[in-house]
Amino acid sequence: MQICLKIHLLPAAKLSNNYGNFDKFFNNMKFKTPIPVSEISRMIEAEMLGNTQQMATGINEIHKVTPGDIAFVDVVKYFKKTINSAATIIILNEKTECPPGKTLLLVDEPFTAYNYLVRQFMPFEAMVNSVSHLADIHPDAIIEPGAIIGQHVSIGVGTIIQANAVICSHSIVGKNCIIQPGAVIGSDAFYFKKNKQIYHKWNSCGRVIIEDDVYIGANCTINRGVSGDTIIGAGSKIDCLVHIGHGVVIGKNCLIAAQTGISGKTTLEDNVVLYGQVGIAQNINIGAGAVISAKSGISKDLDGGKTYFGVPASEMSEKLRELAAVRQLPELLKKMK
Amino acid sequence: MQICLKIHLLPAAKLSNNYGNFDKFFNNMKFKTPIPVSEISRMIEAEMLGNTQQMATGINEIHKVTPGDIAFVDVVKYFKKTINSAATIIILNEKTECPPGKTLLLVDEPFTAYNYLVRQFMPFEAMVNSVSHLADIHPDAIIEPGAIIGQHVSIGVGTIIQANAVICSHSIVGKNCIIQPGAVIGSDAFYFKKNKQIYHKWNSCGRVIIEDDVYIGANCTINRGVSGDTIIGAGSKIDCLVHIGHGVVIGKNCLIAAQTGISGKTTLEDNVVLYGQVGIAQNINIGAGAVISAKSGISKDLDGGKTYFGVPASEMSEKLRELAAVRQLPELLKKMK
Amino acid sequence: MQICLKIHLLPAAKLSNNYGNFDKFFNNMKFKTPIPVSEISRMIEAEMLGNTQQMATGINEIHKVTPGDIAFVDVVKYFKKTINSAATIIILNEKTECPPGKTLLLVDEPFTAYNYLVRQFMPFEAMVNSVSHLADIHPDAIIEPGAIIGQHVSIGVGTIIQANAVICSHSIVGKNCIIQPGAVIGSDAFYFKKNKQIYHKWNSCGRVIIEDDVYIGANCTINRGVSGDTIIGAGSKIDCLVHIGHGVVIGKNCLIAAQTGISGKTTLEDNVVLYGQVGIAQNINIGAGAVISAKSGISKDLDGGKTYFGVPASEMSEKLRELAAVRQLPELLKKMK
């Protein structure tokens, strides 16, 4: 497979004219117009197995695919799981049996082919103006000097984008939001595929969606999703230097203090309170109304309505008992000797 | 009470012509000219009880009020405390007995009325130019490209504001300071009033004051005070990505390493050293010359002249004894079984 | 010694014409042309002892000097060590015996003299344009709006400098790198000399060198070295809000998650993985392939190929045993009573 050559034959701009960009929905990347699987196969110079006549309707990561989607797999032990997922079209690197109704696309490097397809349908667009004329900014929004607004950004009425903040392409900011100076909304997902010690960047095609009445502190960073969206729920308030990873979903009226970090694809339900310098691992669910004390580290799901503390965190009362016990420990050891 | 209507009747610009803006002093917001309490009452459509003839001289949070000030209270159990505070004029939401010499202003939503008054006397001014012509910048200061200087900012001789730093309105930066690239000075206080699960933003009217010979690292964030000022004492040096909350007061010649965070209204006395990734809770006092080791979490006042470590922190020697004991614990438990 | 006067007599611009700037190599600052020691002595108004005829070839911190270099010492107990180091010319503040082949330069304030010499040969240049015409930017690099590129910066083919990032003077960025929005590359070393409670800034003359295929997340801060260089090895990927201190050397294909901080002069060998909110002390060596779990604090060298956790960190299995034991401790204490 000669991906490099292909890029010259089928530039992104031309493809966009044929098929348009993605229509993005939360957790899903759909083509504006379905594309014949034979055309997809031709684009990545694949060998087609199974149903060669159907239409591809979108492209996604394996854990987010829906029928009509293209997915990829390059590790033999995951072949079965991927082929039997909701995905209709699977890019893979070894001949294998194709179940009825599916299409297999055989290439040398499935990840490269997947990444190539994503970029064809959602090309990287470098920012070229401080405020893009392709952004949809409500006339009653305020854009302060030095703020950069990317292509296809939408900014609602009454929102203030303060000095030197950066709103990257495709981000959506609702009504009456405040984005403090230097905050970066829509930086790339930190998501790499490791192959022989080398990290290969997974193209980010998700967006950041900031709902109404949200406050984002100075110099925060909110990464866009890989394929899904990063969402900050209505009424949530976030202090300075907070990091929100790719595909994180934050509920309504959450409060997040300074220097806290939330890893990729974690969910905060409504009314969660995170104190300062908290860290939350990826793929975690924090129940509604949970309160997490400062400097805690969370590595598993937490029930709502309770208060937690520690690294790793326990319920506050339990952790305080442990801390009290540890304070008595040196004396205890002395006595025992 | 129809606050929205009032906003149309008495726009901020008009009021400013009558009464001028605040004169700001540390921890105190005073009107340039005293205002008849009847005029204040009319502005927020209040019912007046008690002395209707006196003059309001300022407005402040309950823990900072001085005689002549307006304060507010909306929780019945704090009525007595607020009415008997130094404040002369109290905005509240239930009829109650008025002590001699005081004025009560009865409205439906005291916090909204308070916030409205604050904005009337210190209107929000969006930044409109990269370097405001309303800023007072010494001709021998250096402003690098991309730096944003807000209205009413003052910058002293020999100070360097580096690329893409943001100095928000009303901030004061002394002589011979270095503000590294991307630092944000004077972002809003992260201070909200919660009412039925919704967070309402408390208008920030304090400033950031940076004294002489201060060094602020790249991408730091220093929030302005709610009503008081955030102060960084002369000669203090702060590394990158540090967060300083609203109304924090840092003494002279303090040293603060990278990624440390200090919550609102905490005080560091002179010559304090904070290592990296330390977190300090709000309303804490750290004594002169205290040293806090990396990654510590501080939730109560600390005596000066000592070294601390841990989350929560103890004196270093005590914490090291605990850590040594914990390392022996697995073996001890094994033996006991 | 009247350093201030000297500055007027021998302005940096004039000196540059005579001797040129430093040639920078990793860990070493060498003059483009050797300079007679008598000329150095005259510049800092020193009294010369020992060999007065030799040439100075560079200037450096004591732990980095090589033959021909100038170093300084101002604490008597370090006189012997410094005079017997590889340095050929030593600036000091007390008459002492000079070994054969060396030159001693006697002044009142050795640190001030050293800092003065450094600035003479590598003058501070404020940034004056958004993109300096003294920067060497490959035509196929992409510079997004709001990005600031300092003097003498080099940027390789295929590299993207995103919106509002700052690349400070003398930084070198390789090929196919991505610098996300708001990142600051080459901020000053956080390095001060304390004298009678006052912190004096050590002039930073090192650079940041970013090798090929490196990814730097949004709002990261990477400080330049004091005299050596800060180096980010080829293929390494760094998430948002990470801080890298002065003179840190990061190996190839390292992965560093968000909000982690690495203190000055620490080394990461190849293929190290740091999870989020990790902190590493200064002058530490982390062995190849080491993995450090989230929120860990590292204060001593770590062997490669192992996984670590905790503050201070131990090997993961050992730390998990401790944590399990601590959870049993409250029950144990209860039984013992």
Side-chain angles (χ1 to χ4, degrees):
Chain A
M1 187 185 52
Q2 287 169 313
I3 284 299
C4 289
L5 182 62
K6 260 315 186 209
I7 290 170
H8 291 289
L9 292 177
L10 290 169
K14 186 152 177 298
L15 267 170
S16 294
N17 291 341
N18 292 338
Y19 303 115
N21 287 329
F22 283 119
D23 266 337
K24 279 280 312 169
F25 304 94
F26 170 51
N27 273 348
N28 224 321
M29 305 188 295
K30 291 292 177 191
F31 303 140
K32 286 205 170 150
T33 312
I35 303 168
V37 69
S38 56
E39 175 70 9
I40 297 291
S41 179
R42 197 181 60 77
M43 285 167 67
I44 58 173
E45 295 189 338
E47 179 181 342
M48 248 190 306
L49 307 174
N51 184 339
T52 62
Q53 299 302 315
Q54 58 195 329
M55 306 297 279
T57 59
I59 186 166
N60 223 326
E61 299 165 81
I62 176 62
H63 52 287
K64 289 178 187 275
V65 285
T66 54
D69 279 353
I70 305 166
F72 85 92
V73 62
D74 55 5
V75 180
V76 173
K77 73 170 173 175
Y78 296 128
F79 271 30
K80 205 167 174 181
K81 186 184 166 192
T82 309
I83 292 171
N84 293 322
S85 73
T88 301
I89 299 149
I90 295 96
I91 305 172
L92 38 54
N93 53 351
E94 268 188 44
K95 246 178 198 164
T96 184
E97 205 184 336
C98 184
K102 301 249 170 167
T103 311
L104 304 186
L105 299 177
L106 194 63
V107 301
D108 289 342
E109 297 184 22
F111 174 72
T112 309
Y114 169 89
N115 239 7
Y116 170 77
L117 281 177
V118 167
R119 267 293 166 264
Q120 292 302 303
F121 292 102
M122 193 161 176
F124 171 74
E125 298 177 79
M127 299 199 220
V128 284
N129 299 303
S130 291
V131 177
S132 171
H133 63 275
L134 298 175
D136 175 19
I137 302 172
H138 192 283
D140 290 339
I142 296 174
I143 312 295
E144 288 192 343
I148 307 292
I149 314 287
Q151 294 93 332
H152 319 299
V153 163
S154 165
I155 294 176
V157 59
T159 283
I160 305 175
I161 310 293
Q162 294 208 265
N164 284 355
V166 178
I167 315 295
C168 297
S169 64
H170 293 279
S171 301
I172 296 175
V173 184
K175 301 173 190 170
N176 301 314
C177 293
I178 299 174
I179 311 294
Q180 288 274 304
V184 175
I185 311 297
S187 34
D188 276 2
F190 190 71
Y191 203 63
F192 298 89
K193 188 171 164 57
K194 194 175 183 180
N195 186 14
K196 294 172 194 156
Q197 297 290 1
I198 306 291
Y199 293 99
H200 300 275
K201 187 166 185 296
W202 200 292
N203 286 331
S204 305
C205 295
R207 302 168 300 188
V208 173
I209 300 176
I210 294 179
E211 297 181 353
D212 299 343
D213 303 308
V214 166
Y215 178 98
I216 306 286
N219 284 347
C220 283
T221 58
I222 304 184
N223 286 351
R224 64 178 66 209
V226 176
S227 58
D229 293 324
T230 305
I231 300 181
I232 315 293
S236 287
K237 313 295 183 187
I238 299 177
D239 202 354
C240 300
L241 291 172
V242 166
H243 174 66
I244 309 281
H246 64 269
V248 165
V249 177
I250 291 179
K252 297 190 196 313
N253 300 313
C254 291
L255 194 73
I256 302 179
Q259 295 179 321
T260 279
I262 304 177
S263 304
K265 296 185 188 162
T266 277
T267 298
L268 267 59
E269 298 182 1
D270 296 347
N271 305 309
V272 167
V273 175
L274 307 181
Y275 279 75
Q277 298 184 339
V278 166
I280 305 185
Q282 54 187 354
N283 297 313
I284 298 294
N285 189 81
I286 309 294
V291 175
I292 302 179
S293 285
K295 285 194 153 295
S296 296
I298 311 298
S299 55
K300 53 177 192 185
D301 291 358
L302 295 183
D303 290 341
K306 294 175 179 169
T307 301
Y308 301 89
F309 178 52
V311 185
S314 319
E315 273 197 67
M316 177 65 94
S317 56
E318 192 183 326
K319 183 59 66 177
L320 291 180
R321 259 197 313 275
E322 279 179 23
L323 286 168
V326 165
R327 274 193 294 272
Q328 299 171 48
L329 190 58
E331 203 53 35
L332 176 73
L333 287 176
K334 215 164 134 188
K335 277 183 195 162
M336 290 179 73
K337 280 168 190 165
Chain B
M1 187 185 55
Q2 287 169 316
I3 284 298
C4 289
L5 181 63
K6 260 316 185 210
I7 289 170
H8 289 289
L9 293 176
L10 291 168
K14 188 155 173 296
L15 267 170
S16 293
N17 290 340
N18 292 337
Y19 304 113
N21 286 329
F22 282 119
D23 265 338
K24 280 282 310 168
F25 303 95
F26 170 53
N27 272 350
N28 224 321
M29 306 189 293
K30 292 293 178 192
F31 303 140
K32 285 204 171 153
T33 312
I35 302 167
V37 70
S38 56
E39 175 70 9
I40 298 290
S41 179
R42 198 180 62 75
M43 285 167 67
I44 59 173
E45 295 189 339
E47 180 180 342
M48 248 192 304
L49 306 175
N51 183 338
T52 62
Q53 299 302 318
Q54 61 194 329
M55 306 298 277
T57 58
I59 187 167
N60 223 325
E61 301 165 79
I62 176 62
H63 52 289
K64 289 178 188 276
V65 284
T66 53
D69 278 354
I70 305 167
F72 86 92
V73 61
D74 56 4
V75 179
V76 173
K77 72 169 175 176
Y78 296 128
F79 271 28
K80 205 166 172 181
K81 187 184 166 191
T82 309
I83 292 172
N84 293 321
S85 73
T88 302
I89 299 150
I90 296 97
I91 306 172
L92 37 55
N93 54 350
E94 267 187 46
K95 246 179 201 163
T96 186
E97 205 183 336
C98 184
K102 301 248 171 167
T103 311
L104 304 186
L105 298 178
L106 193 64
V107 300
D108 288 344
E109 296 183 21
F111 174 71
T112 309
Y114 170 90
N115 238 7
Y116 170 76
L117 282 177
V118 167
R119 267 293 167 265
Q120 292 302 304
F121 292 101
M122 193 160 175
F124 171 75
E125 298 177 79
M127 299 198 219
V128 285
N129 299 303
S130 291
V131 177
S132 171
H133 62 277
L134 298 175
D136 175 19
I137 303 172
H138 192 281
D140 290 339
I142 295 175
I143 311 295
E144 288 193 343
I148 307 292
I149 314 287
Q151 294 93 332
H152 320 299
V153 163
S154 166
I155 295 177
V157 59
T159 284
I160 305 176
I161 310 292
Q162 294 208 264
N164 283 354
V166 177
I167 316 295
C168 297
S169 64
H170 294 279
S171 301
I172 296 174
V173 184
K175 301 173 190 169
N176 300 315
C177 293
I178 299 174
I179 311 294
Q180 288 275 304
V184 175
I185 311 298
S187 34
D188 276 1
F190 190 70
Y191 203 63
F192 298 89
K193 187 169 165 56
K194 194 176 183 181
N195 186 14
K196 295 173 193 155
Q197 298 289 1
I198 307 290
Y199 293 99
H200 300 275
K201 188 168 184 296
W202 200 294
N203 286 331
S204 305
C205 294
R207 303 168 297 188
V208 173
I209 298 176
I210 294 179
E211 298 181 352
D212 299 344
D213 302 308
V214 167
Y215 178 96
I216 306 286
N219 284 347
C220 283
T221 58
I222 303 184
N223 286 351
R224 64 177 66 207
V226 177
S227 57
D229 293 325
T230 305
I231 299 180
I232 314 294
S236 287
K237 314 294 184 187
I238 299 178
D239 201 356
C240 301
L241 291 172
V242 166
H243 174 65
I244 310 281
H246 62 270
V248 165
V249 177
I250 292 179
K252 296 190 195 314
N253 299 314
C254 291
L255 193 73
I256 302 179
Q259 294 179 324
T260 279
I262 304 177
S263 304
K265 297 184 188 164
T266 278
T267 298
L268 267 60
E269 298 180 1
D270 295 347
N271 304 310
V272 167
V273 175
L274 308 181
Y275 278 74
Q277 297 183 341
V278 166
I280 305 186
Q282 53 187 352
N283 297 312
I284 297 294
N285 189 81
I286 309 294
V291 175
I292 302 179
S293 284
K295 284 194 156 296
S296 296
I298 311 298
S299 55
K300 50 178 194 186
D301 291 358
L302 294 184
D303 290 341
K306 295 176 180 169
T307 300
Y308 302 89
F309 177 53
V311 185
S314 319
E315 274 197 66
M316 178 64 97
S317 57
E318 191 184 325
K319 182 60 66 178
L320 291 179
R321 261 197 311 275
E322 279 179 23
L323 287 167
V326 165
R327 274 193 294 274
Q328 299 172 48
L329 190 58
E331 203 52 37
L332 174 74
L333 288 175
K334 214 164 135 187
K335 276 183 195 161
M336 289 179 73
K337 279 166 191 166
Chain C
M1 185 184 57
Q2 288 170 313
I3 284 300
C4 288
L5 181 64
K6 258 322 188 205
I7 290 171
H8 290 287
L9 292 177
L10 290 169
K14 186 153 175 296
L15 267 169
S16 293
N17 290 341
N18 292 338
Y19 303 115
N21 286 328
F22 283 119
D23 265 337
K24 280 283 309 169
F25 303 95
F26 170 52
N27 274 349
N28 225 320
M29 305 188 294
K30 291 293 179 193
F31 303 139
K32 286 203 170 152
T33 312
I35 302 168
V37 69
S38 56
E39 173 71 9
I40 297 292
S41 179
R42 198 181 59 77
M43 284 168 68
I44 58 173
E45 297 189 337
E47 179 180 344
M48 249 191 305
L49 307 175
N51 184 341
T52 62
Q53 300 302 316
Q54 60 194 331
M55 306 298 278
T57 59
I59 186 166
N60 223 326
E61 300 166 80
I62 175 62
H63 52 289
K64 288 177 187 276
V65 284
T66 54
D69 279 352
I70 305 166
F72 87 92
V73 61
D74 54 7
V75 179
V76 172
K77 73 170 175 175
Y78 297 128
F79 270 29
K80 203 166 175 182
K81 187 184 166 192
T82 309
I83 292 172
N84 294 320
S85 74
T88 300
I89 299 150
I90 297 97
I91 306 172
L92 37 54
N93 53 351
E94 269 189 44
K95 246 176 199 168
T96 185
E97 204 183 338
C98 183
K102 301 247 170 168
T103 311
L104 305 187
L105 299 177
L106 192 63
V107 300
D108 288 343
E109 297 184 20
F111 175 70
T112 309
Y114 169 89
N115 239 7
Y116 169 77
L117 282 177
V118 167
R119 266 294 167 264
Q120 292 301 304
F121 292 101
M122 192 160 176
F124 171 75
E125 298 177 79
M127 299 200 219
V128 285
N129 300 302
S130 292
V131 177
S132 170
H133 62 275
L134 298 175
D136 175 20
I137 302 172
H138 192 282
D140 290 339
I142 296 175
I143 312 295
E144 289 193 341
I148 307 292
I149 314 288
Q151 293 92 331
H152 320 298
V153 163
S154 164
I155 295 176
V157 60
T159 284
I160 306 175
I161 311 292
Q162 295 209 263
N164 284 355
V166 178
I167 316 296
C168 297
S169 64
H170 293 279
S171 301
I172 296 175
V173 184
K175 302 174 190 171
N176 300 315
C177 294
I178 299 175
I179 312 294
Q180 288 275 304
V184 175
I185 311 298
S187 34
D188 276 1
F190 190 71
Y191 203 62
F192 298 89
K193 187 170 166 56
K194 195 177 183 179
N195 186 15
K196 295 174 193 156
Q197 298 290 3
I198 307 290
Y199 293 99
H200 300 274
K201 187 167 186 296
W202 200 293
N203 286 330
S204 305
C205 294
R207 303 168 297 187
V208 173
I209 299 176
I210 294 179
E211 297 182 353
D212 299 343
D213 302 308
V214 167
Y215 178 97
I216 307 285
N219 285 347
C220 283
T221 58
I222 304 184
N223 286 351
R224 65 177 66 209
V226 176
S227 57
D229 293 325
T230 305
I231 300 181
I232 314 293
S236 287
K237 314 294 184 187
I238 299 178
D239 201 355
C240 301
L241 291 171
V242 166
H243 174 66
I244 310 281
H246 62 270
V248 165
V249 177
I250 291 179
K252 297 190 195 314
N253 299 314
C254 291
L255 194 72
I256 302 179
Q259 295 178 322
T260 279
I262 304 177
S263 304
K265 297 182 188 163
T266 278
T267 298
L268 267 60
E269 298 181 0
D270 295 347
N271 305 309
V272 167
V273 175
L274 307 182
Y275 278 75
Q277 298 183 340
V278 166
I280 305 186
Q282 53 188 353
N283 297 312
I284 298 294
N285 189 81
I286 308 294
V291 175
I292 302 179
S293 284
K295 284 193 154 299
S296 296
I298 311 299
S299 54
K300 51 178 194 183
D301 290 359
L302 295 183
D303 289 341
K306 296 176 180 169
T307 300
Y308 301 88
F309 178 52
V311 183
S314 318
E315 272 198 68
M316 177 65 96
S317 57
E318 190 184 327
K319 182 60 65 178
L320 291 179
R321 260 198 312 277
E322 279 180 23
L323 287 168
V326 166
R327 273 194 294 274
Q328 299 172 50
L329 189 58
E331 202 53 37
L332 175 73
L333 288 176
K334 214 164 133 186
K335 276 183 195 162
M336 290 179 73
K337 282 169 190 167

